[in-house]
Amino acid sequence: MALPIVITLAVMAFAWPAGRISPRDVPVGIVGTGSASEHAVEALTRAKPGAFDFHLYPDQQAARSAIKDRDVYGAFAISGHSITVLKATAASPSVAQLLTDVGQQLADQATQRIAQQIAQQKAAGAHSPAKAHKQAAAGVDSSVKILAKSVDVVPVATADPRGAVFSSSVFPLTICGILIGAFVTMARGLARPHHRVLTLLVACAVAALGIYLVAQGFLGALPHNHVATWAILSLDLLSVSATAAGVIRLLGPGGLGLSAALMVFVGNAFSGATSAPEMLPKGVDYVGQWLPPGAGASLLRDTAYFDGNAGAGHLAVLALWTVCGLTAVMCGHWVTREARGTKTSATASGELLPALPGSGATLPVRRHAHAHARRHDGDD
């Protein structure tokens, strides 16, 4: 009976966020404070309430710097005859496409507004020949059209134009991390805690190197900051594997299922790697960024394309999970030994033997432990 419920919850964990993807307080910039910019902000607020968090910048250079610093996903530079969409495909291809579509909508609305103004001026000029002559002298053109153009400030790798390789790597990283943690914890040859920790470090570093060689060397999806990118991949794997190993060390084999459910069905489903955290339902975005899959994907993006800007928080999350997991691996045997010792002492200190059948009384004879408790792990 429990299996269908688990399957239903797993499907809902992945399908629900994907079915509710929509912009929610996505930080974007507006260049300038003129009437055209004000009209744009009013139009976006009216058409998509709560979709964008607007930041004002004096010029395009300031907006470009904000995009590279990961303060905003993009910006709209609005002039009298054009709208320039500054975007960063490397930050999120889906958000970049959204900003491109919104920029075109703003251009169409501005064109319609100008056409209406020209029509009103013509109607007024029909009743005033002097005013019509003045408009003709000013060169009023009824075919004025506002153009929208896009500039990719931080483009994604040319070998991965849609960012598919990048977003697809999050799930395998999570699975590999769980498998490494389970193997290191359950391997009989790794008896001592420091052996397990050393094996975790080496295994994650080697696995991350293999992942990087495939993602960049074969697919060309991570073209910048090679050493730092490999280090972040290693830390991402280590945070997942150390957490899985620590939970298994404390709870036994059942900890494998718990860590897998947490990292895969919650962390991976709420990571926002395929879109952006701001595109997920409220609350879910924060949960995903506080777990290794979401924090790791964001930090990898920050490192590979933005020189680590805005990555301090994600780095702290991964470090916290890693430290907690490694601490559980190192010290978990004390917890389990104490639990076993409490159980053994309770049994040896004095349980009354059950009454004989039909006697109606309990014999006042106590059990005594004559054998020493066996060591289970060789952790001493």
Side-chain angles (χ1 to χ4, degrees), residues 224-234 300 303-304:
H224 309 294
N225 301 322
H226 306 294
V227 176
T229 301
W230 167 64
I232 296 304
L233 286 171
S234 302
L300 183 61
T303 303

Side-chain angles (χ1 to χ4, degrees), residues 6 9-10 13-14 170-171 173-175 177-178 236 239-248 250-251 254-272 284 286-295 317 320-322 324-325:
V6 172
L9 292 176
F14 280 92
V170 177
F171 185 73
L173 274 173
T174 305
I175 297 298
I178 294 173
D236 193 1
S239 64
V240 176
S241 61
T243 300
V247 174
I248 296 172
L250 294 174
L251 303 181
L256 176 59
L258 178 60
S259 58
L262 178 65
M263 295 298 174
V264 176
F265 298 132
V266 179
N268 205 79
F270 298 166
S271 66
V284 169
Y286 293 105
V287 173
Q289 296 304 300
W290 274 99
L291 292 173
V317 170
L320 178 62
W321 282 94
T322 301
C324 291

Side-chain angles (χ1 to χ4, degrees), residues 105-165:
Q105 294 173 7
L106 290 176
D108 294 341
Q109 292 172 3
T111 300
Q112 293 176 1
R113 185 169 59 252
I114 291 176
Q116 292 174 357
Q117 292 175 354
I118 292 176
Q120 293 173 358
Q121 291 174 358
K122 285 185 176 181
H127 300 285
S128 176
K131 187 176 294 186
H133 178 74
K134 185 177 181 180
Q135 292 174 359
V140 175
D141 186 3
S142 60
S143 63
V144 171
K145 181 176 177 62
I146 302 299
L147 300 177
K149 62 179 181 179
S150 299
V151 177
D152 205 342
V153 179
V154 186
V156 75
T158 55
D160 185 26
R162 299 182 181 276
V165 175

